[in-house]
């Protein structure tokens, strides 16, 4: 974690709204794309990000180690995504595939196939792959965020990548 970020987090903990606003600006895009990768809906991802920042703002004083802010806010985001899935058990939403212009690079067919494949994965694999490749988090960081053993993260990552390969191969063969 950068020293500048630690200073912002410390200031936010003391009630500095401008410091928290700077944190929101810094993390908004990465959290948005993480939520998008997990829930598959641009509108829901925006709502989840907003809920994440509200929860973070209201509970920032519970953060004991400011150097763990990134893991802490990602944990909030994953919990908000889990809340979304609990509320919408029977709903599978992939509206971002149709709205590709704003969400993925140039709306390329490969990107659309990649996001379609990602949205088809089991939730556990989708979350791990999204945290690993959208945020470039280490296995150790992912394990801490999800509160699971590192070996489980490796297994979900491996299984998710294998399933993605199969799905992508299917999209290539059908197109």
């Amino acid at each position: 974690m950068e020293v500048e970020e630690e200073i912002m987090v410390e200031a936010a903990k003391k009630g500095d709204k401008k410091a928290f606003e700077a944190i929101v600006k810094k993390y908004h895009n990465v959290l948005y794309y993480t939520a998008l990768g997990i829930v598959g809906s641009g509108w829901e991802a925006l709502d989840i990000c907003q809920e994440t920042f509200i929860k973070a703002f209201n509970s920032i004083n519970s953060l004991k180690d400011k150097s763990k802010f990134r893991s802490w806010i990602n944990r909030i985001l994953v919990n908000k995504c889990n809340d979304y899935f609990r509320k919408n058990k029977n709903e599978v939403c992939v509206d971002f595939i149709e709205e590709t212009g704003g969400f993925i690079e140039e709306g390329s067919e490969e990107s659309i196939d990649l996001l379609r494949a990602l949205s088809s994965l089991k939730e556990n694999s989708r979350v791990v792959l999204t945290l690993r490749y959208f945020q470039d988090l280490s296995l150790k960081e992912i394990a801490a965020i999800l509160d699971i053993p590192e070996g489980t993260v490796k297994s979900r990552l491996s299984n998710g990548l294998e399933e993605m390969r199969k799905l992508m191969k299917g999209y290539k063969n059908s197109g």
Side-chain angles (χ1 to χ4, degrees):
M1 180 179 208
E2 305 163 8
V3 174
E4 180 184 322
E5 187 173 315
E6 285 189 27
I7 293 168
M8 285 189 306
V9 170
E10 191 59 41
K13 285 182 78 165
K14 291 177 181 172
D16 184 339
K17 290 180 180 165
K18 292 278 187 204
F20 192 81
E21 189 178 310
I23 291 168
V24 169
K25 285 180 181 172
K26 177 176 181 160
Y27 279 95
H28 185 271
N29 283 348
V30 72
L31 292 178
Y32 169 75
Y33 283 108
T34 301
L36 178 62
I38 294 170
V39 300
S41 165
W43 294 112
E44 296 302 332
L46 284 171
D47 286 347
I48 288 167
C49 280
Q50 183 175 5
E51 291 172 19
T52 297
F53 286 121
I54 289 169
K55 171 83 173 172
F57 180 79
N58 290 330
S59 60
I60 195 158
N61 287 321
S62 70
L63 176 63
K64 291 172 182 39
D65 183 353
K66 61 187 173 222
S67 70
K68 305 263 190 217
F69 180 80
R70 184 177 181 191
S71 292
W72 179 75
I73 199 159
N74 273 294
R75 182 72 197 143
I76 294 171
L77 180 83
V78 168
N79 285 338
K80 293 296 177 187
C81 289
N82 289 337
D83 291 347
Y84 167 79
F85 284 119
R86 273 191 288 281
K87 288 181 208 166
N88 302 291
K89 281 182 185 172
N90 299 323
E91 194 175 307
V92 176
C93 188
V94 289
D95 68 351
F96 66 94
I97 290 170
E98 295 165 7
E99 302 171 9
T100 56
F103 299 128
I104 52 179
E105 182 185 329
E106 300 300 318
S108 70
E109 209 166 305
E110 293 83 16
S111 295
I112 293 170
D113 289 346
L114 184 66
L115 288 173
R116 185 177 291 136
L118 184 63
S119 72
S120 299
L121 297 177
K122 291 179 189 162
E123 182 182 337
N124 287 337
S125 294
R126 186 172 56 244
V127 169
V128 170
L129 284 170
T130 301
L131 290 172
R132 179 73 179 113
Y133 295 109
F134 281 44
Q135 287 208 30
D136 198 28
L137 295 177
S138 70
L139 300 179
K140 185 176 183 175
E141 289 171 312
I142 295 169
I145 289 167
L146 300 178
D147 196 27
I148 58 175
E150 240 179 282
T152 303
V153 172
K154 287 179 187 176
S155 170
R156 290 180 184 175
L157 191 59
S158 175
N159 293 339
L161 287 171
E162 183 60 33
E163 187 63 24
M164 286 284 288
R165 282 186 201 99
K166 289 178 187 172
L167 290 166
M168 292 300 291
K169 197 178 251 187
Y171 294 141
K172 282 184 180 178
N173 292 338
S174 69

